[in-house]
Amino acid sequence: MGKYEGWKRPDWDTYWMKIVEDIGLRSTCTRHHFGCVIVKNNVIVSTGYNGPPSGLPHCDEIGCIREKLNIPSGTRMEVCDAVHAEQNAIIRGDPSKLKGATLYVNAKPCKMCARMIINAGIKRVVYIDDYPDKEGIELLKKAGIDTFVFDRKRLDELKDRLDKFK
């Protein structure tokens, strides 16, 4: 009997969300580790995580201006220099491959990211966790983009199943 006898592989949404969580580990934000993967025909088109623009100091080095000013999450985003995970993934992706793709992210996209998602031609957004900015999802729905809330419990169940095969 093989080591993985009885293993049931995860569905595609769970598979991509597990990857999103790993991508978020690259973030240097001291508040949130957000990750994003854009997929088309079950092939990765692009990835991104939140952090400062290239060449600028990272928050884990200089501290978080939003923390210092006691700014609640999801508000006054212009105060922070960070580029969001979705923005980084779109910026780094091939525009011809973004059209019709699915974007996976471990936060609800904000309104700024929603605008970029719409203009990139992405057709489906799958997200976990809640984010105070409700306008982003409303904008995506208004543009006819399919949105799906991914239940974090599915990732927890996958981790539990993986532990049994160690």
Side-chain angles (χ1 to χ4, degrees):
M1 184 188 292
K3 179 179 178 180
Y4 291 101
E5 187 81 25
W7 171 254
K8 182 180 179 285
R9 67 182 181 171
D11 62 84
W12 284 111
D13 283 349
T14 304
Y15 176 76
W16 297 123
M17 278 304 201
K18 170 73 170 80
I19 292 172
V20 163
E21 293 280 284
D22 291 341
I23 292 166
L25 296 174
R26 289 282 305 150
S27 173
T28 57
C29 177
T30 57
R31 281 185 159 192
H32 303 285
H33 283 189
F34 294 130
C36 177
V37 63
I38 301 173
V39 176
K40 189 171 185 179
N41 300 322
N42 289 323
V43 175
I44 294 175
V45 172
S46 186
T47 66
Y49 52 88
N50 60 318
S54 297
L56 293 184
H58 294 265
C59 293
D60 63 353
E61 299 166 343
I62 62 169
C64 175
I65 186 68
R66 295 174 60 81
E67 285 291 328
K68 291 174 188 171
L69 298 175
N70 201 26
I71 297 172
S73 185
T75 64
R76 298 190 53 216
M77 289 179 262
E78 74 282 357
V79 173
C80 180
D81 287 337
V83 180
H84 293 186
E86 305 95 302
Q87 294 168 341
N88 269 324
I90 291 168
I91 290 165
R92 296 180 180 280
D94 177 344
S96 67
K97 293 180 181 176
L98 295 175
K99 290 188 186 334
T102 298
L103 182 145
Y104 292 87
V105 62
N106 59 344
K108 184 185 294 179
C110 71
K111 191 172 184 179
M112 292 186 317
C113 289
R115 291 176 187 143
M116 291 181 71
I117 291 166
I118 293 164
N119 280 354
I122 292 166
K123 294 299 178 199
R124 182 172 181 247
V125 174
V126 180
Y127 62 96
I128 55 177
D129 294 340
D130 203 25
Y131 196 70
D133 185 338
K134 310 280 187 235
E135 294 177 335
I137 294 299
E138 292 169 9
L139 192 59
L140 292 173
K141 289 179 180 178
K142 188 176 179 181
I145 294 173
D146 181 31
T147 60
F148 178 75
V149 181
F150 183 87
D151 187 351
R152 181 178 284 283
K153 290 178 190 172
R154 289 167 63 182
L155 284 178
D156 295 337
E157 290 168 2
L158 176 62
K159 289 173 188 170
D160 289 345
R161 287 190 355 238
L162 284 168
D163 286 344
K164 291 177 185 175
F165 286 93
K166 286 185 179 177

